[in-house]
Coordinates of all heavy atoms in Angstrom, one line a residue:
C70 N 106.4 99.8 146.3 CA 105.4 99.2 147.2 C 105.9 99.1 148.6 O 107.0 98.6 148.8 CB 105.0 97.8 146.6 SG 104.4 97.8 144.9
V71 N 105.1 99.6 149.5 CA 105.5 99.6 150.9 C 105.5 98.2 151.5 O 106.1 98.0 152.5 CB 104.6 100.5 151.8 CG1 104.7 102.0 151.4 CG2 103.1 100.1 151.8
F72 N 104.9 97.3 150.8 CA 104.8 95.9 151.3 C 105.6 94.9 150.5 O 105.5 93.7 150.6 CB 103.3 95.4 151.3 CG 102.7 95.5 150.0 CD1 102.8 94.6 149.0 CD2 101.8 96.6 149.7 CE1 102.2 94.8 147.7 CE2 101.2 96.8 148.5 CZ 101.4 95.9 147.5
C73 N 106.6 95.5 149.7 CA 107.3 94.6 148.7 C 108.1 93.6 149.5 O 109.0 93.9 150.3 CB 108.2 95.5 147.9 SG 109.1 94.5 146.6
D164 N 101.5 90.9 137.5 CA 100.9 90.9 138.8 C 99.9 92.1 138.8 O 100.4 93.2 138.9 CB 101.9 91.0 139.9 CG 101.3 91.1 141.3 OD1 100.1 90.8 141.4 OD2 102.0 91.5 142.2
L165 N 98.6 91.8 138.7 CA 97.6 92.9 138.7 C 97.4 93.3 140.1 O 96.8 92.6 140.9 CB 96.3 92.3 138.0 CG 95.1 93.2 138.1 CD1 95.3 94.6 137.6 CD2 93.9 92.5 137.4
K166 N 97.9 94.5 140.4 CA 97.9 94.9 141.8 C 96.6 95.7 142.3 O 96.1 95.5 143.4 CB 99.1 95.8 142.1 CG 100.4 95.0 142.0 CD 101.6 95.9 142.3 CE 102.9 95.1 142.3 NZ 102.9 94.2 143.5
Y167 N 96.2 96.6 141.4 CA 95.1 97.5 141.9 C 94.2 97.8 140.7 O 94.6 97.9 139.5 CB 95.7 98.9 142.3 CG 96.8 98.8 143.3 CD1 98.1 99.2 142.9 CD2 96.6 98.5 144.6 CE1 99.2 99.2 143.8 CE2 97.6 98.5 145.5 CZ 98.9 98.8 145.1 OH 99.9 98.8 146.0
M168 N 92.9 98.0 141.0 CA 92.0 98.6 140.2 C 91.4 99.8 140.9 O 90.2 100.1 140.9 CB 90.9 97.7 139.6 CG 91.4 96.9 138.4 SD 92.0 97.9 137.1 CE 90.4 98.6 136.5
D169 N 92.3 100.5 141.7 CA 91.9 101.6 142.5 C 93.1 102.5 142.6 O 94.1 102.1 143.3 CB 91.5 101.0 143.9 CG 91.1 102.1 144.9 OD1 91.7 103.2 144.8 OD2 90.3 101.8 145.8
L172 N 94.6 103.4 146.1 CA 95.4 102.4 146.8 C 96.8 102.4 146.2 O 97.8 102.3 146.9 CB 94.8 101.0 146.6 CG 93.6 100.7 147.5 CD1 93.3 99.2 147.4 CD2 93.9 101.1 149.0
G173 N 96.8 102.5 144.8 CA 98.1 102.6 144.2 C 99.0 103.7 144.7 O 100.2 103.5 144.9
K175 N 98.7 105.3 147.6 CA 99.0 105.1 149.0 C 100.1 104.0 149.2 O 101.0 104.2 150.1 CB 97.7 104.6 149.7 CG 97.8 104.6 151.2 CD 96.4 104.4 151.8 CE 96.4 104.2 153.2 NZ 95.1 103.9 153.8
F176 N 100.0 102.9 148.5 CA 100.9 101.8 148.8 C 102.1 101.6 147.8 O 103.0 100.9 148.1 CB 100.1 100.5 148.8 CG 99.1 100.4 149.9 CD1 97.8 99.8 149.7 CD2 99.3 101.0 151.2 CE1 96.9 99.8 150.7 CE2 98.4 100.9 152.2 CZ 97.1 100.3 152.0
S177 N 102.0 102.2 146.6 CA 103.0 101.9 145.6 C 103.6 103.2 144.9 O 104.3 103.1 143.9 CB 102.5 101.0 144.5 OG 102.1 99.8 145.1
H216 N 97.4 87.8 141.0 CA 96.8 88.8 141.9 C 97.1 88.5 143.3 O 96.7 87.4 143.8 CB 95.3 89.0 141.6 CG 94.7 90.0 142.6 ND1 95.0 91.3 142.6 CD2 93.9 89.8 143.6 CE1 94.4 91.9 143.6 NE2 93.7 91.0 144.2
L217 N 97.8 89.4 144.0 CA 98.1 89.2 145.4 C 96.9 89.8 146.2 O 96.7 91.1 146.1 CB 99.4 89.9 145.8 CG 99.8 89.9 147.3 CD1 100.1 88.5 147.8 CD2 101.0 90.8 147.5
V218 N 96.2 89.0 147.0 CA 95.1 89.6 147.7 C 95.6 90.3 149.0 O 96.3 89.7 149.8 CB 94.1 88.4 148.2 CG1 92.9 89.0 148.8 CG2 93.7 87.6 147.0
L219 N 95.2 91.6 149.1 CA 95.7 92.4 150.2 C 94.6 92.3 151.3 O 93.4 92.5 151.1 CB 95.9 93.9 149.8 CG 97.0 94.2 148.8 CD1 97.0 95.6 148.4 CD2 98.3 93.8 149.4
P220 N 95.1 92.1 152.6 CA 94.1 92.1 153.7 C 93.3 93.4 153.8 O 93.9 94.4 153.7 CB 95.0 91.8 154.9 CG 96.3 92.3 154.5 CD 96.4 92.0 153.0
G221 N 92.0 93.2 154.0 CA 91.2 94.5 154.2 C 90.8 95.2 153.0 O 90.1 96.2 153.1
F222 N 91.3 94.8 151.8 CA 90.9 95.6 150.6 C 90.3 94.6 149.6 O 90.8 94.5 148.4 CB 92.2 96.3 150.1 CG 92.6 97.4 151.0 CD1 93.7 97.2 151.9 CD2 92.0 98.6 151.0 CE1 94.1 98.1 152.7 CE2 92.4 99.6 151.9 CZ 93.5 99.4 152.7
L223 N 89.3 93.9 150.0 CA 88.7 92.9 149.1 C 88.0 93.5 147.9 O 87.9 92.9 146.9 CB 87.8 92.0 149.9 CG 88.4 91.3 151.2 CD1 87.5 90.2 151.7 CD2 89.8 90.7 150.8
E224 N 87.5 94.7 148.1 CA 86.8 95.3 146.9 C 87.8 95.5 145.8 O 87.4 95.4 144.6 CB 86.2 96.7 147.3 CG 84.9 96.5 148.1 CD 83.9 95.6 147.4 OE1 83.6 95.8 146.2 OE2 83.4 94.6 148.1
N225 N 89.0 95.9 146.2 CA 90.1 96.0 145.1 C 90.3 94.7 144.4 O 90.4 94.6 143.2 CB 91.4 96.5 145.8 CG 92.5 96.6 144.7 OD1 92.4 97.3 143.7 ND2 93.6 95.9 145.0
S226 N 90.4 93.6 145.2 CA 90.6 92.3 144.6 C 89.4 91.9 143.6 O 89.6 91.4 142.5 CB 90.7 91.2 145.7 OG 91.9 91.4 146.3
K227 N 88.2 92.3 144.1 CA 87.0 92.0 143.2 C 87.0 92.7 141.9 O 86.7 92.2 140.9 CB 85.7 92.2 144.0 CG 85.5 91.2 145.2 CD 84.3 91.5 146.0 CE 84.3 90.4 147.1 NZ 83.1 90.7 148.1
C229 N 89.7 93.8 140.4 CA 90.8 93.2 139.6 C 90.3 91.9 138.9 O 90.5 91.7 137.7 CB 92.0 92.8 140.5 SG 92.9 94.3 141.1
L244 N 95.7 83.3 142.1 CA 95.2 84.1 143.2 C 96.2 83.8 144.4 O 96.2 82.7 145.0 CB 93.8 83.6 143.6 CG 92.7 84.5 143.0 CD1 91.4 83.9 143.5 CD2 92.8 85.9 143.3
M245 N 96.9 84.8 144.7 CA 98.0 84.6 145.8 C 97.5 85.0 147.1 O 97.0 86.1 147.3 CB 99.3 85.3 145.4 CG 99.8 84.9 144.0 SD 101.4 85.6 143.6 CE 100.9 87.3 143.3
S246 N 97.7 84.1 148.1 CA 97.3 84.3 149.5 C 98.5 84.7 150.4 O 98.4 84.8 151.6 CB 96.6 83.1 150.0 OG 97.5 82.0 150.1
Q247 N 99.7 84.8 149.8 CA 100.9 84.8 150.6 C 101.2 86.1 151.3 O 102.3 86.2 151.9 CB 102.1 84.4 149.6 CG 102.4 85.5 148.6 CD 103.3 85.0 147.5 OE1 102.9 84.0 146.8 NE2 104.5 85.6 147.3
Y248 N 100.3 87.1 151.2 CA 100.7 88.4 151.7 C 101.0 88.3 153.2 O 100.3 87.7 154.0 CB 99.5 89.4 151.6 CG 99.8 90.7 152.2 CD1 100.5 91.7 151.4 CD2 99.6 91.0 153.5 CE1 100.9 92.9 152.0 CE2 100.0 92.2 154.1 CZ 100.6 93.1 153.3 OH 101.0 94.3 153.8
S249 N 102.1 89.0 153.6 CA 102.4 89.2 155.0 C 103.1 90.6 155.0 O 103.6 91.1 154.0 CB 103.4 88.1 155.6 OG 104.6 88.2 154.9
P250 N 102.9 91.3 156.2 CA 103.4 92.7 156.2 C 104.9 92.9 156.2 O 105.5 93.0 157.2 CB 102.7 93.2 157.5 CG 102.5 92.0 158.3 CD 102.3 90.9 157.4
A254 N 105.2 97.8 155.7 CA 103.8 97.6 155.7 C 103.2 97.7 157.1 O 102.0 98.1 157.3 CB 103.4 96.2 155.1
N258 N 97.8 101.1 158.2 CA 96.6 100.4 158.7 C 96.0 99.6 157.6 O 96.0 100.1 156.4 CB 95.6 101.5 159.2 CG 95.8 101.9 160.6 OD1 96.5 101.1 161.3 ND2 95.4 103.1 161.0
G259 N 95.5 98.5 157.9 CA 94.8 97.6 156.9 C 95.7 96.6 156.4 O 95.4 95.4 156.5
I260 N 96.9 96.9 156.0 CA 97.9 95.9 155.4 C 99.0 95.5 156.5 O 99.9 94.9 156.1 CB 98.5 96.4 154.1 CG1 99.3 97.7 154.3 CG2 97.5 96.5 153.0 CD1 100.2 98.0 153.1
N261 N 98.7 95.9 157.7 CA 99.7 95.6 158.8 C 99.5 94.2 159.4 O 99.8 94.0 160.5 CB 99.7 96.7 159.8 CG 98.4 97.0 160.4 OD1 97.4 96.4 160.0 ND2 98.3 97.9 161.3
R262 N 98.8 93.3 158.7 CA 98.5 92.0 159.2 C 98.5 91.0 158.0 O 98.5 91.4 156.8 CB 97.2 92.0 159.9 CG 96.0 92.4 159.0 CD 94.7 92.1 159.7 NE 93.5 92.6 158.9 CZ 92.9 91.9 157.9 NH1 93.3 90.7 157.7 NH2 91.9 92.4 157.3
V263 N 98.4 89.7 158.3 CA 98.3 88.7 157.3 C 96.8 88.7 156.8 O 95.9 89.2 157.4 CB 98.8 87.3 157.7 CG1 100.3 87.4 158.1 CG2 97.9 86.8 158.9
L264 N 96.7 88.0 155.7 CA 95.3 87.8 155.1 C 94.7 86.6 155.9 O 95.4 85.7 156.3 CB 95.5 87.4 153.7 CG 94.3 87.2 152.8 CD1 93.7 88.6 152.5 CD2 94.6 86.5 151.5
T265 N 93.4 86.7 156.2 CA 92.7 85.6 156.9 C 92.2 84.6 155.9 O 92.0 84.9 154.7 CB 91.5 86.1 157.7 OG1 90.5 86.6 156.8 CG2 91.9 87.2 158.7
E268 N 89.0 85.8 154.3 CA 89.2 86.7 153.3 C 89.5 86.0 152.0 O 89.0 86.4 150.9 CB 90.2 87.8 153.7 CG 89.8 88.8 154.7 CD 90.9 89.7 155.1 OE1 92.0 89.2 155.4 OE2 90.6 90.9 155.3
Y269 N 90.5 85.1 152.1 CA 91.0 84.4 150.9 C 89.8 83.6 150.2 O 89.6 83.6 149.0 CB 92.2 83.6 151.2 CG 92.8 83.0 150.0 CD1 93.3 83.8 148.9 CD2 93.0 81.6 149.8 CE1 93.9 83.3 147.8 CE2 93.6 81.1 148.7 CZ 94.1 82.0 147.7 OH 94.7 81.4 146.6
I272 N 87.4 85.7 148.2 CA 87.9 86.1 146.9 C 88.0 84.9 146.0 O 87.6 85.1 144.8 CB 89.3 86.8 147.1 CG1 89.2 88.1 147.8 CG2 90.0 87.0 145.7 CD1 88.2 89.1 147.2

Side-chain angles (χ1 to χ4, degrees):
C70 303
V71 296
F72 53 81
C73 183
D164 177 13
L165 171 54
K166 290 179 175 295
Y167 310 109
M168 276 305 289
D169 178 331
L172 285 190
K175 189 170 176 185
F176 296 143
S177 299
H216 174 66
L217 175 67
V218 185
L219 294 177
F222 294 99
L223 301 192
E224 282 312 306
N225 176 55
S226 290
K227 290 177 182 176
C229 289
L244 265 181
M245 299 187 290
S246 65
Q247 71 197 56
Y248 181 85
S249 65
N258 276 338
I260 58 166
N261 53 358
R262 62 171 173 87
V263 297
L264 187 72
T265 66
E268 285 175 317
Y269 189 57
I272 294 305

